Amino acid sequence: MEKEKEHASPTTPPTTDPSTNPSTQVRPMSFYPDFSSYMHEGHAPMPHASLPRPDANPSPWTCQGNLTSGFQSSVSSLIGLNSTSLSHEEPNQEPTPDSGEVETLCTPSKSKDDDESRTQNTVHTEGADIIEEPKLGMVFKSEEELVSYYKRYGKQCGFGIMTQRSHRFEDGRLRYVTLGCARGGKARNRTSNVARPRPTSKTDCKAKINATFIEGVLKVLTVHNSHNHGLSPQKSRFFRCNREVSESVKRVLDTNDQADIRMNKSFASLVQEAGGFENLPFSENDCRNYIDKARYLQLGKGGAGALCEYFARMQYKNDGFFSLMDMDDDGRLKNVFWADARSRAAYKYFGDVVTFDTTYLTNKYEMPFALFVGVNHYGQSILLGAGLISSEDTETFTWLFQTWLNCMGGEAPKAIITDQDRAIKNAIALIFPNSRHRFCLWHILKKVSEKLGSHGAYKTGLKSHLLKCVYDSQTIEEFEKCWEVLITTYNLQDNAWLQSLYAERMYWVPVFLKEIFWAGMSITQRSESMNAFFDGYVHARTNLKEFVNQFDNILRKKIENENEADFHSFNVTIPVISVSPLEKIFQDIYTNSKFREVQKEVVGMLGCLPTLHSQDGVIATYHVEDEVCVDDLIKEVTQNVYFNEAKCEVKCSCSLFEMRGILCRHVLAIMRVKKVRTVPEKYILDRWRKDIKRTYTLQSSYDVVDVRPKVSRYSRIMKVCYDVATNAASCDEHAEDMIDKLYAMNEVYRTNKSPHQTCSNVAVILG
């Protein structure tokens, strides 16, 4: 059932799905329709001074005005309806339309400053046709015709309209609809700030009409024409239902905006052309809202050409380059996504946890620049895809996520970290339903001073208490109790920001996230690596053309940093600091950056004091007292460690391994107590190893030529493979034959056998 929908005028473009073709493509716009606009009439043409006003022409409707009482009775008995008003229905019962009910006109209340208030709802406007007031038995061919009539009548009388209630059959056909005054309904106080309540226009006005679908038409069976507020026909154009920017005006606004014409001048020209403000069915603010929400990219001078040139150059250099352009029905660019071959190959190794964020290219258009970022085996950020988007709503993010997923072979990440954004959350639920979604804790805590800094106890206990809830709670029960004490102690029951955080606590509070393993980066590290990815370049004052020209340079620098870290891991050894054989194992296997993290935990063992708490068969429970340094102060924390002697499995309540993929000091302390000399394979993660050959490093799609022989061979092979795939894909028989041969050849090369003897019967035919 649909309730209380004010009539606006959104456009509804068609829907399309993104493609998986790795080449540069241009696709039509995808759109999820807004069903709240299903009653809207079409956009009116731009009014001119020489033309009559928009409300001068009568709406096409058929009226049977002089109905007899017998007809009214027969209609009532036919559909079995009573005369109870819809506004008095019980909420748990299915509402039924009113029938046979009419209310005589009464004088609305008249405000002192409103001379246009009328005692009659039918206003005789000089030089214009009169829209007759609603009467019982009026017949309309369609829902659109009914809405159009009542909207014109409301504009003539001086009130706005809205859909108060409607119901449809299972096949989507309208069963009945109630249209009423936009000031109907009771005011609701939706703000916690009692000193500054939100303004409201609701007066519980009872003016309405109810129409029911009977014998293929909509018949008006209920009429209430009285209002409990003043009416002003001369100001009807300010009601939302009467404000709409036509397509012709939108084109003018688009053209003027691209020509750098300021909005006040653009709107002034429209007023001049229409012959006055009163002849425009929209305001200047409506025009500004349209430009702000224009669903296409404002690329600036030379931006579109630079982007296409960049895509063409990358595609020529590497067939693995992927790009997709999202266009609207008028051929205007809405969204763009791209990922080079290296990013697509790296996703196979580091796509378990992905961070997504939007920043802005700070040119005059403030375009959102979207990044998919992972973490490599050195703890460095690595690009997994990028995009330019026209807006930050659910529809746009859905298109971007689906395109990125297609680009990465349809394999979703295990976890994705984003800002606390409702549109992003909705899109993730649609595209990545099985991925663990987490909010960035760093961004949330960054807002603490802004949201709570004015509280009198902020610096004397409130801030530290909040951080204690977040970081020191080892169980969900502990967090719930600590949060309740926080809210009660500092009288924060009405704080809307804390209420919203608590409602979504499973997305950001560490204790709620410990159950899902992710070996990427710490939640608190996510924003730091995000901001450092482009070394602040995207925040410089630049245009798109300059940004595209520098994009390769930025990514090349990231690759150079990874090569340098790789060199140090194989040529520089970090000495061990203990006699523990476990530390030696990690020294030999992990990259230097990750071994540094292990050593930090080894040093931390000095402050750990384990004691056996209980023994249940092969499972021992230890309490490990730990001393943690916080702001030059020592804080004592006790962690619970569970050790299975039979399987050599261990789990700590701090969940460092589950959160960051590194064994914590508490676990290492218990292993030392139990004399464990080797590290079980399950606790040595491949993503941190330095001895694994990762093929994404062979991908080179940048301007600088990689002279390594292996990279050269790889490029030669890939070019032939793309040619083979193109020819073999001509039919299923060829495709299956080629796949079988490739598997056989791969097995030969994988086992380092001689291909001349083993694969003499394998032939590859091109063409």
Side-chain angles (χ1 to χ4, degrees):
M1 184 169 295
E2 304 166 21
K3 299 182 180 179
E4 299 189 357
K5 296 181 180 178
E6 291 198 40
H7 295 277
S9 300
T11 56
T12 308
T15 302
T16 57
D17 295 328
S19 170
T20 59
N21 193 335
S23 61
T24 302
Q25 304 173 52
V26 178
R27 297 299 306 272
M29 173 184 65
S30 60
F31 186 79
Y32 291 88
D34 179 6
F35 292 101
S36 65
S37 63
Y38 68 91
M39 288 188 177
H40 286 231
E41 59 183 331
H43 294 290
M46 172 68 188
H48 294 270
S50 60
L51 298 178
R53 288 181 50 178
D55 57 0
N57 297 323
S59 174
W61 55 273
T62 304
C63 176
Q64 298 177 5
N66 299 319
L67 294 176
T68 63
S69 59
F71 176 80
Q72 298 177 25
S73 302
S74 63
V75 171
S76 300
S77 61
L78 175 65
I79 59 178
L81 300 177
N82 56 38
S83 59
T84 305
S85 173
L86 284 176
S87 60
H88 298 291
E89 296 181 32
E90 295 298 328
N92 294 330
Q93 296 178 349
E94 180 178 346
T96 56
D98 301 331
S99 65
E101 182 175 320
V102 64
E103 182 174 304
T104 58
L105 302 178
C106 66
T107 304
S109 59
K110 182 176 182 180
S111 60
K112 295 181 180 179
D113 58 348
D114 194 352
D115 294 334
E116 296 89 1
S117 297
R118 297 292 186 263
T119 58
Q120 295 289 331
N121 286 19
T122 301
V123 181
H124 296 275
T125 305
E126 184 178 354
D129 294 331
I130 303 303
I131 306 299
E132 187 177 355
E133 67 183 20
K135 293 184 176 65
L136 289 177
M138 282 185 171
V139 177
F140 298 88
K141 298 178 181 179
S142 66
E143 183 180 1
E144 291 74 17
E145 187 177 296
L146 171 66
V147 174
S148 176
Y149 156 72
Y150 201 55
K151 184 187 292 186
R152 289 177 177 271
Y153 172 72
K155 186 174 183 180
Q156 173 181 274
C157 295
F159 67 93
I161 74 164
M162 65 187 303
T163 302
Q164 294 182 344
R165 195 184 299 269
S166 66
H167 190 268
R168 295 180 179 275
F169 295 104
E170 293 183 357
D171 59 2
R173 293 181 297 111
L174 184 69
R175 178 183 175 188
Y176 65 82
V177 63
T178 300
L179 302 179
C181 177
R183 302 190 69 175
K186 297 181 179 180
R188 299 177 183 177
N189 186 9
R190 297 180 178 179
T191 178
S192 59
N193 188 353
V194 295
R196 192 178 181 182
R198 293 182 179 179
T200 179
S201 63
K202 301 298 183 181
T203 63
D204 200 20
C205 181
K206 302 299 183 183
K208 65 180 180 180
I209 62 173
N210 182 278
T212 300
F213 186 82
I214 302 176
E215 298 179 353
V217 295
L218 283 170
K219 292 185 179 180
V220 177
L221 301 180
T222 302
V223 177
H224 295 264
N225 283 336
S226 61
H227 297 262
N228 63 0
H229 54 86
L231 303 178
S232 178
Q234 298 301 322
K235 299 174 183 176
S236 295
R237 56 193 172 89
F238 294 110
F239 286 109
R240 180 184 177 186
C241 63
N242 297 325
R243 300 201 324 261
E244 53 188 4
V245 182
S246 66
E247 291 299 324
S248 59
V249 173
K250 289 179 181 178
R251 286 192 290 269
V252 171
L253 294 175
D254 291 338
T255 302
N256 291 350
D257 185 60
Q258 293 172 8
D260 292 335
I261 298 176
R262 296 174 60 182
M263 177 54 67
N264 60 340
K265 293 184 178 181
S266 183
F267 183 73
S269 68
L270 294 173
V271 174
Q272 183 70 21
E273 182 181 1
F277 290 95
E278 65 278 3
N279 294 329
L280 286 180
F282 52 82
S283 65
E284 182 175 349
N285 194 49
D286 294 328
C287 296
R288 293 186 185 276
N289 290 338
Y290 166 72
I291 290 298
D292 290 342
K293 298 178 181 179
R295 308 184 64 81
Y296 57 92
L297 290 180
Q298 304 263 17
L299 298 180
K301 185 177 181 180
L307 199 62
C308 292
E309 180 183 347
Y310 172 74
F311 289 166
R313 184 174 72 249
M314 299 298 286
Q315 184 68 47
Y316 173 78
K317 292 180 350 182
N318 195 309
D319 291 331
F321 184 83
F322 179 102
S323 66
L324 190 66
M325 293 185 178
D326 186 23
M327 314 292 287
D328 68 7
D329 291 338
D330 296 326
R332 297 179 300 191
L333 186 60
K334 291 175 54 185
N335 309 300
V336 179
F337 170 82
W338 71 93
D340 58 48
R342 184 184 178 92
S343 296
R344 301 178 70 189
Y347 180 76
K348 299 177 181 179
Y349 299 97
F350 309 120
D352 48 358
V353 177
V354 174
T355 66
F356 174 79
D357 198 5
T358 57
T359 184
Y360 284 86
L361 298 181
T362 53
N363 55 18
K364 72 168 202 170
Y365 298 112
E366 291 287 321
M367 287 185 300
F369 179 50
L371 289 174
F372 296 89
V373 178
V375 173
N376 66 12
H377 49 310
Y378 299 110
Q380 300 170 337
S381 56
I382 185 169
L383 183 66
L384 300 176
L388 289 169
I389 55 180
S390 58
S391 59
E392 295 178 284
D393 55 15
T394 300
E395 175 203 343
T396 301
F397 287 129
T398 298
W399 177 88
L400 186 64
F401 292 161
Q402 184 63 62
T403 303
W404 179 72
L405 184 63
N406 293 340
C407 175
M408 299 303 169
E411 184 175 352
K414 295 179 181 178
I416 184 168
I417 311 169
T418 72
D419 292 338
Q420 192 180 8
D421 183 274
R422 182 64 56 185
I424 293 178
K425 182 181 178 182
N426 294 339
I428 288 176
L430 290 172
I431 307 302
F432 310 123
N434 298 320
S435 299
R436 184 65 182 266
H437 182 202
R438 298 173 179 175
F439 294 152
C440 172
L441 180 59
W442 184 86
H443 267 143
I444 290 176
L445 297 182
K446 187 180 179 181
K447 298 179 181 178
V448 171
S449 60
E450 173 190 346
K451 301 294 185 179
L452 303 176
S454 60
H455 195 284
Y458 177 72
K459 295 183 178 180
T460 59
L462 172 57
K463 180 181 179 181
S464 59
H465 195 149
L466 176 61
L467 295 179
K468 179 183 178 182
C469 289
V470 174
Y471 289 113
D472 293 350
S473 299
Q474 296 187 25
T475 64
I476 294 177
E477 292 74 17
E478 287 183 19
F479 171 81
E480 298 287 358
K481 293 179 181 179
C482 186
W483 187 272
E484 183 179 358
V485 173
L486 169 71
I487 299 299
T488 304
T489 302
Y490 300 101
N491 194 26
L492 297 169
Q493 292 84 352
D494 296 330
N495 188 283
W497 183 65
L498 289 178
Q499 289 177 358
S500 66
L501 286 182
Y502 181 78
E504 297 183 318
R505 57 195 180 280
M506 66 289 302
Y507 287 92
W508 63 277
V509 178
V511 71
F512 286 90
L513 308 177
K514 292 179 178 180
E515 300 303 321
I516 303 297
F517 165 76
W518 72 311
M521 63 180 124
S522 168
I523 298 177
T524 56
Q525 286 182 326
R526 175 251 175 187
S527 293
E528 297 170 356
S529 62
M530 190 74 208
N531 292 335
F533 187 83
F534 283 103
D535 298 324
Y537 181 83
V538 292
H539 298 287
R541 187 156 296 280
T542 182
N543 57 39
L544 182 62
K545 185 176 182 179
E546 294 171 349
F547 174 76
V548 170
N549 290 337
Q550 293 296 324
F551 193 77
D552 279 359
N553 295 333
I554 299 168
L555 296 184
R556 196 181 304 119
K557 181 63 165 58
K558 303 295 294 185
I559 295 175
E560 180 63 18
N561 292 340
E562 183 175 335
N563 290 335
E564 184 177 358
D566 187 67
F567 170 81
H568 284 290
S569 287
F570 282 99
N571 293 278
V572 178
T573 301
I574 299 177
V576 295
I577 58 176
S578 72
V579 297
S580 170
L582 304 183
E583 182 188 4
K584 177 62 177 175
I585 293 174
F586 286 115
Q587 180 198 45
D588 295 336
I589 296 177
Y590 275 9
T591 62
N592 283 357
S593 58
K594 284 301 158 182
F595 178 58
R596 287 286 192 191
E597 295 186 32
V598 174
Q599 276 197 332
K600 183 179 179 180
E601 299 304 312
V602 172
V603 173
M605 283 196 302
L606 298 175
C608 293
L609 179 61
T611 56
L612 180 63
H613 178 260
S614 63
Q615 183 80 38
D616 184 9
V618 296
I619 300 178
T621 302
Y622 288 86
H623 286 178
V624 181
E625 297 179 11
D626 189 11
E627 294 180 346
V628 181
C629 182
V630 179
D631 296 332
D632 297 329
L633 298 176
I634 301 299
K635 180 174 66 174
E636 294 185 355
V637 180
T638 300
Q639 302 289 352
N640 299 320
V641 180
Y642 307 92
F643 184 77
N644 187 323
E645 298 180 1
K647 299 181 179 179
C648 197
E649 291 180 349
V650 63
K651 181 176 177 58
C652 180
S653 59
C654 78
S655 298
L656 182 67
F657 181 76
E658 287 77 8
M659 297 289 287
R660 299 189 64 174
I662 299 293
L663 287 179
C664 65
R665 62 194 65 183
H666 319 111
V667 167
L668 294 176
I670 298 304
M671 286 185 169
R672 182 181 60 184
V673 170
K674 304 300 293 186
K675 295 183 172 26
V676 176
R677 304 301 182 189
T678 61
V679 181
E681 284 295 324
K682 68 183 73 176
Y683 301 120
I684 299 178
L685 303 183
D686 287 346
R687 75 159 8 260
W688 306 136
R689 296 177 70 116
K690 63 182 177 182
D691 56 344
I692 293 180
K693 300 298 182 181
R694 297 174 172 87
T695 58
Y696 79 92
T697 60
L698 302 177
Q699 298 282 358
S700 179
S701 56
Y702 305 104
D703 291 337
V704 175
V705 178
D706 195 326
V707 297
R708 288 178 294 171
K710 192 171 184 178
V711 173
S712 177
R713 293 193 296 267
Y714 185 88
S715 288
R716 290 167 52 202
I717 294 172
M718 286 302 297
K719 288 184 180 297
V720 175
C721 285
Y722 277 111
D723 195 13
V724 171
T726 301
N727 289 286
S730 60
C731 66
D732 290 338
E733 183 180 358
H734 290 171
E736 293 300 326
D737 179 65
M738 180 53 62
I739 291 173
D740 292 340
K741 288 182 171 64
L742 288 175
Y743 274 126
M745 294 171 64
N746 185 55
E747 182 64 22
V748 172
Y749 298 131
R750 187 181 65 82
T751 55
N752 294 322
K753 297 178 181 178
S754 172
H756 300 291
Q757 297 178 355
T758 312
C759 276
S760 58
N761 61 332
V762 177
V764 178
I765 301 176
L766 302 180

